[in-house]
Amino acid sequence: MKQKRIAITMGDPAGIGPEVVVKALANKEIYEKCIPVVIGDYEALQDAIRFSGLELTLSEIHSPADAEGTYGVVEFINLKYLKAGSWVYKENSALCGEAAFQYVIYAIRLAMEGKVEAVITAPISKDSINMAGHHYSGHTEIFAEYTGTKDYAMLLASENLRVIHVTTHCALIEACRLIRKERVLTVIKLAELGCRMLGIDNPRIGVAGLNPHCSEDGLFGTEEISEIIPAVQEAKQLGINVEGPVPPDTVFVKCKAGFYDIVVAMYHDQGHIPLKLNAFRWDEENKQYGSVRGINCTIGLPVIRVSVDHGTAFGKAGEGRANEDSMIEAIEVGLIMVENTVL
C-alpha cells in the first residue's frame, strides 16, 4: 500500500483541523501504509506543529507525484491563502471559509484526475464558508456538486456501528417530507455499496422507522406504510439482505449487537446521536475526551472521500488539546476503501 497517495485537506484554519492533521501524521504507521499529501497553508500547519510540540518538518511540493512519503516530513501543497497573523483561532471568518473551501475543491480535482486515490477531510465551518459566499451545508454537498453526483449519502462508522442517512442537513420538518420510497430505496442500495467498500461481503442492513414504534400500523404516522416498507420490499426483490423498518429506539442496539452491519437512518440526528455516543469517550479524571473516534464518508461519489466525525471545535482550537484519533481512523478507513473499490 506504500504507493497509495492520499490527499488530506487541512480544514478551517481557525479550528482544530490543522492540529489533528499534523498530530495524525506524527504516527509512523501511516507512512507504512500510504503517502499522505496535505492540501492547505504553510502558516497554519507550521503553527499547529509549534503549539502541539511536534518534531515534524514541512516540505512544500507542487504535485502528489512529488511526494516521497518520508516519516517526520509533512509534504503539503501550499495554496497560500493565509499570512502570519491573518486569521484568529476560534472565530469564523470569510478568509478562513474561502481557504477551507478551496482546499476541498483542489483535493477533489486531484482525485478526479487520478492523482490521489482518496481524499481525507479535516472539519470546515459551515458559517465561514457561507461568509465566503459558498452556500453549502457541508462537505457532502460540496463533493456531490463538484463531482456531478446525483445519488449519494452520508455514512458514519465507529467500531461495530455503521449508519447511513436518507436525509441530512435540513430542518426536521423538511426531512419528514423527504422520506419517499425512491430515496429510501436509493440509500438502501448505497448502504450495501458502502459496506462492500469497507470490506463487508453480503452486508445485513437494518432500516430504521421514522416514527415512534414504526408508527404502530399508522397510529403515529403513515410514512412506514406508504414509503419505507415498499422500499424495503423492493430492495429484497433485488437480492439485498435488508430488514425493516425496525423501531428507531432498538435498531441501533441491534446493529451494535451484530444483527446488522449497517443501519439506514431517516434523518441527521437519528443516526448521528447513537454513532457519537458509541465513538466519543469522556475522561472524567482529566476533564477531556480521551478518545474521539468515528468517521464520516460520502457513498455514491466517483472518488473516495472520508472525514473525521467531529467539527472544528473552536473552543479548543490553537491550544494543542485536540484529539487526532478520528483523523487517524479516517485515513485508515480511506485506505480500506481504496483496496475494496473499483471506481
Side-chain angles (χ1 to χ4, degrees):
M1 296 179 68
K2 178 68 174 179
Q3 74 278 14
K4 307 297 184 185
R5 283 175 166 78
I6 62 169
I8 305 175
T9 60
M10 193 184 77
D12 191 296
I16 64 170
E19 180 182 347
V20 297
V21 168
V22 296
K23 282 183 172 179
L25 296 183
N27 288 267
K28 188 174 183 180
E29 293 80 4
I30 288 177
Y31 288 84
E32 295 171 353
K33 300 174 182 178
C34 67
I35 299 176
V37 177
V38 179
I39 314 300
D41 262 278
Y42 169 81
E43 297 293 346
L45 291 170
Q46 184 60 48
D47 202 39
I49 291 172
R50 176 192 62 78
F51 66 66
S52 297
L54 299 173
E55 295 183 2
L56 299 174
T57 59
L58 291 172
S59 175
E60 183 175 345
I61 60 176
H62 300 287
S63 168
D66 300 331
E68 298 179 358
T70 303
Y71 172 64
V73 179
V74 177
E75 295 170 297
F76 74 107
I77 295 175
N78 189 8
L79 297 196
K80 301 180 180 178
Y81 279 89
L82 306 176
K83 296 179 181 178
S86 64
W87 79 101
V88 179
Y89 289 112
K90 310 177 190 297
E91 292 186 9
N92 287 303
S93 69
L95 172 64
C96 288
E98 183 65 30
F101 182 79
Q102 294 301 331
Y103 305 152
V104 174
I105 300 309
Y106 195 97
I108 291 172
R109 185 168 72 248
L110 291 178
M112 293 291 283
E113 293 174 353
K115 295 179 180 178
V116 296
E117 295 185 71
V119 177
I120 313 299
T121 56
I124 59 176
S125 165
K126 298 175 181 63
D127 287 340
S128 289
I129 64 170
N130 276 268
M131 289 169 68
H134 306 292
H135 302 299
Y136 298 90
S137 56
H139 277 112
T140 302
E141 293 75 18
I142 297 171
F143 270 82
E145 178 161 333
Y146 278 81
T147 60
T149 303
K150 178 184 176 183
D151 292 328
Y152 58 92
M154 178 190 296
L155 186 154
L156 308 180
S158 173
E159 298 175 347
N160 54 352
L161 183 61
R162 302 171 197 86
V163 181
I164 193 167
H165 296 70
V166 175
T167 68
T168 49
H169 298 128
C170 61
L172 184 55
I173 192 169
E174 179 64 17
C176 294
R177 296 191 187 105
L178 293 173
I179 303 302
R180 295 291 179 264
K181 173 194 169 184
E182 293 75 15
R183 174 60 182 169
V184 176
L185 178 60
T186 293
V187 177
I188 292 171
K189 293 176 182 178
L190 290 171
E192 183 182 49
L193 172 63
C195 283
R196 293 186 184 280
M197 292 173 70
L198 292 170
I200 302 170
D201 294 327
N202 190 30
R204 299 159 298 166
I205 302 167
V207 178
L210 174 67
N211 298 296
H213 306 285
C214 288
S215 81
E216 294 277 14
D217 294 324
L219 286 175
F220 312 133
T222 61
E223 289 83 1
E224 282 78 13
I225 295 171
S226 64
E227 310 296 338
I228 301 174
I229 291 174
V232 171
Q233 290 174 337
E234 186 166 336
K236 287 181 176 179
Q237 292 171 1
L238 295 173
I240 298 174
N241 188 355
V242 59
E243 178 179 316
V246 182
D249 59 356
T250 60
V251 67
F252 301 100
V253 177
K254 293 182 71 174
C255 184
K256 190 172 180 180
F259 289 90
Y260 308 120
D261 295 300
I262 191 168
V263 174
V264 174
M266 292 298 119
Y267 57 92
H268 183 280
D269 285 9
Q270 186 186 62
H272 276 64
I273 290 172
L275 195 289
K276 291 189 176 182
L277 278 170
N278 191 58
F280 294 3
R281 300 286 187 271
W282 178 252
D283 184 340
E284 180 62 27
E285 182 178 350
N286 296 309
K287 302 298 181 183
Q288 64 182 10
Y289 285 104
S291 177
V292 181
R293 299 191 67 82
I295 61 92
N296 174 339
C297 56
T298 309
I299 304 301
L301 301 173
V303 300
I304 292 170
R305 174 255 165 170
V306 184
S307 179
V308 296
D309 189 30
H310 59 71
T312 53
F314 278 170
K316 63 176 69 174
E319 300 178 12
R321 297 191 293 120
N323 187 303
E324 71 275 20
D325 287 352
S326 186
M327 176 56 72
I328 294 172
E329 188 173 5
I331 294 169
E332 292 173 344
V333 169
L335 292 171
I336 290 171
M337 296 178 85
V338 168
E339 291 300 305
N340 287 284
T341 305
V342 179
L343 295 173

